[in-house]
Amino acid sequence: MKRILFISLVALGLAAFAAAADEASLVQTLASQLNVTDAQAAGGAGAIFNYAKSALPTNEYAKVESAVPEAAELMKQAPAVDSTASAVGGVVGKAGG
């Protein structure tokens, strides 16, 4: 269930990117739509792509990466994950779902 939701969110993000691709990059589109800085948009997108890479099978993530060529660069801009916060989030996620 969580996987389907995640893939759906990625698909929606890609659709939004495709609609704006003629005029702006993914980061510019996210920054504009979410009213955040380019750095925040890049970091957030990178975090999502990092999660997608860890959660999806390699062949499925390859489709995402080919659809969004800048994904690898955005992943480098994602904020570092605090292992304590990550562990707590994992426990909370398992408890809730």
Side-chain angles (χ1 to χ4, degrees):
M1 175 79 163
K2 291 179 183 179
R3 185 180 202 188
I4 293 170
L5 175 61
F6 177 76
I7 293 171
S8 297
L9 290 172
V10 170
L12 288 172
L14 293 175
F17 171 71
D22 293 334
E23 300 170 16
S25 74
L26 174 59
V27 171
Q28 291 169 331
T29 301
L30 290 171
S32 172
Q33 294 295 316
L34 300 173
N35 197 28
V36 297
T37 67
D38 285 357
Q40 289 170 319
I48 291 170
F49 289 122
N50 278 330
Y51 178 75
K53 187 171 186 174
S54 70
L56 295 173
T58 304
N59 63 329
E60 289 186 31
Y61 181 73
K63 295 174 187 176
V64 173
E65 200 167 42
S66 68
V68 185
E70 61 192 301
E73 184 59 36
L74 292 172
M75 289 167 63
K76 295 175 189 174
Q77 297 180 46
V81 177
D82 177 353
S83 61
T84 303
S86 180
V88 170
V91 170
V92 170
K94 288 179 183 175

